[in-house]
Amino acid sequence: MLRPEQMSKVSVTGTKGVVEDVIEVAHDENVVHLTPYAEDAEGFESGSPLEGANDAAEKLVTVRSLLSILDVSPDDAGSARIVTEDALETELEAVRQEVNELDDRRSDIEDDLAAVEEAIERTEPFVDLGLDLDLLAGYDSLEVAVGEGDAAAVEHALADASNVARFETFTGDDSDIVAVFAHPADGATDVLDDALAGVEFLAIDVPDADGSPEEHLDRLSRRKRKLQSKLDSVESELETLGLEHAGFLFAAEEELSIAVEKAEAPLQFATTEHAFVAEGWVPTSEYSSFASAVKDAVGERVEIEELERASYEPPSDHHAVADGGEEERPPVVQDNPAAMNPFAFLVRVINRPKYWEIDPTVVLFLTFPVFYGFMIGDVGYGLLYTLAGAFLYTRFDSEGIKSLGSVGMWAGGFTVLFGILYGEIFGFHVLGEVLWHGHPPIHKGLQPGYLGYAQLWLAVSIFAGVIHMTVGQAFGFITEARGHGVKTAVLENGSWVLIMVGVWGWIFSRHLADSKPDFIYEVMNGSPVALGFAGFSSTAGVVALGVALLGLLLLLAAEGALALEEALKTVTHVLSYTRLAAVMIAKAGMAFVVNLLFFGAYQYEGEFHFLTGQTAAEALQHHPEASIMFPGLVHSGIAGVLGGILVLLIGHVFVLALGVTSAGLQAIRLEYVEFFGKFYEGGGEKYEPFGHQRTHTTQD
């Protein structure tokens, strides 16, 4: 789990006469991650595609174009089928002609429809103007212009124009359309262009038509409806074709993709005139079966060799490639149980682990849902998170969305678990009454009578931070020791842990206890929980300071002047984990306020009680010493009830959403920044085996 699957570098060497057979076997086995020929081996050159590669590639382009035109999905494909070479010639060509003909018809209709819609848009302004279209053009002695503008400004400009002998304007009743008729002075031309140059006037082309604008618009509208009907008919025919041929086209796409993949495989081989060499990585556990499959297919005409069984040792100076380049890295196959795979996706959001890095998926799986559930801790919200996660997991095919759905279900499950322990559902403590007879095992610390729990959770958050980051530094120590030796690991990782454990060990010791807050000695010694821990002894505190000093000296040796800044981080990074307690109390407070506004509540003997079955006056009759916090909208008439319901629903939706954006982001921040930052770099190469998982085709 902490390491990726071990990989072996393999080499397959043979004569060109068996290259197609080797490709077939390798493709069927689907385990070899091919590595391209490096072009630095004397006497070798890159291979050439197999015969038929171009034809298969052209057909593949055609099939994908047809799928795009028909707009079908894999769900329309139906069951898997066999695709013959004859079908890829005759049936594909027949489908291509039929689809392209309909697509051309659709394009022509769409062009005509766009032209009609544009004509309608040009004609609509003239309807309000009220002049026949043939009156707006065709004059020898008059100049005419129609446009949008201020009629008064237009008239003023024309009156001032010396080259305009006479003019008249017409305007629409409900728009700013203006039609201008002008008689030029003797010998003048283009008088309207000159006169209206300084006026805000946007000219509009007059439609080339006779009669009233209403009649022309009606003709265009009828034409549009006919074209739309034709378009709908063609679309329907294309939809029918899509459903009819989707199975064949998806199967043809898969078959052609496989053919192209096989045909282009030699491009990654090193070849001579008569031989080839193919290299790649296979999981070590698959090497024997792969070698046997190749031998069974082509016998002794190939030589298979395991060139290297990649170790998990990080590269160092003595691993440098002779020419100064980087050593070839094996591809990474994260080796985790199925339940952890969604959390492996969260790791890959940052980056895929390098082959020699420790995979943090297992720690993320063990801690993220716990952090999240601890912060929200409510059965009602937890069930909703679980349902939302199940919806994402079951309704989407995307690996990323399904992974987020699964993570949501885990987080929701732990939110329910902590909610049971807190005895809360949607901010109410009714579960505490039902399950725990009014005494749940733990509290969030929001109520005055349980303030000690708020202090306890601060201490617990700090302990969680120390443990979480110690694990991260331990991972970093292992990686650093493998790559650069134990001494470097001690100086860079061990020193950090010594300082952190030493500083926080001293803080939680009784050495100089008067200078520290009392709660750190009380919260686990009976107030509020009795775990028998009243702080480490004074002697242990002095030892812890010595450990911290030793760590600082080691860090000084490694970092020099930067050591003091790094030492300070051992405190600040741990304090980052107090956000666990802070978010928990904040979310509890928000849910409480929402319920308070609707139901009302009173405080009595350090506890809050909602006015669910009584009014404020009735509560005071039973508990005269109580103080009313808010009487509740539900007790303030019909308007208050209606407004309160709105507040209740919107408020809980808001708290629910903030659980994702606040608790979720804070939890993942602790993982990515505080934990991953101690050891994880990422940047591993994805394992992409040569082969194809058939879904639409079958060879049987």
Side-chain angles (χ1 to χ4, degrees), residues 224-275:
K224 178 182 176 180
R225 287 193 294 272
K226 290 180 180 179
L227 289 172
Q228 188 63 57
S229 177
K230 289 183 179 181
L231 182 60
D232 292 343
S233 177
V234 172
E235 294 278 12
S236 178
E237 289 185 59
L238 282 170
E239 183 178 355
T240 301
L241 274 182
L243 295 176
E244 179 183 349
H245 297 298
F248 166 71
L249 290 175
F250 277 109
E253 181 192 33
E254 185 170 90
E255 192 67 35
L256 289 167
S257 296
I258 292 171
V260 169
E261 189 176 17
K262 291 177 180 178
E264 293 181 350
L267 293 172
Q268 301 184 77
F269 298 174
T271 63
T272 64
E273 184 178 355
H274 302 291

Side-chain angles (χ1 to χ4, degrees), residues 455-653:
Q455 297 170 332
L456 171 66
W457 301 137
L458 286 174
V460 168
S461 297
I462 288 172
F463 287 138
V466 171
I467 295 171
H468 199 222
M469 287 196 291
T470 298
V471 173
Q473 289 289 359
F475 288 171
F477 185 96
I478 294 170
T479 302
E480 199 66 37
R482 286 178 174 273
H484 300 95
V486 174
K487 177 181 178 181
T488 301
V490 169
L491 292 176
E492 295 191 2
N493 301 97
S495 61
W496 214 92
V497 173
L498 291 175
I499 296 172
M500 179 177 63
V501 172
V503 168
W504 287 102
W506 174 80
I507 290 174
F508 279 90
S509 77
R510 302 199 67 84
H511 185 245
L512 301 179
D514 292 340
S515 63
K516 303 170 188 175
D518 293 335
F519 79 87
I520 65 176
Y521 308 116
E522 299 169 353
V523 292
M524 286 178 276
N525 193 36
S527 179
V529 296
L531 298 179
F533 178 74
F536 301 114
S537 69
S538 181
T539 302
V542 174
V543 172
L545 283 178
V547 170
L549 179 59
L550 174 61
L552 181 60
L553 293 175
L554 292 173
L555 194 59
L556 281 169
E559 302 287 346
L562 295 176
L564 295 178
E565 180 183 350
E566 286 297 314
L568 182 61
K569 289 180 181 178
T570 63
V571 176
T572 58
H573 285 200
V574 171
L575 287 175
S576 292
Y577 285 78
T578 59
R579 70 189 66 226
L580 295 172
V583 171
M584 176 193 67
I585 295 173
K587 291 294 168 292
M590 293 173 65
F592 172 76
V593 168
V594 172
N595 293 331
L596 170 70
L597 292 174
F598 183 71
F599 294 101
Y602 64 93
Q603 181 178 335
Y604 178 68
E605 294 184 348
E607 294 187 4
F608 302 144
H609 302 273
F610 292 113
L611 297 169
T612 53
Q614 58 186 329
T615 64
E618 291 169 340
L620 289 175
Q621 288 179 356
H622 292 91
H623 305 291
E625 305 88 355
S627 60
I628 302 299
M629 303 179 68
F630 185 73
L633 294 172
V634 73
H635 304 296
S636 58
I638 297 299
V641 171
L642 295 176
I645 291 174
L646 191 63
V647 169
L648 191 69
L649 293 176
I650 294 177
H652 280 299
V653 169

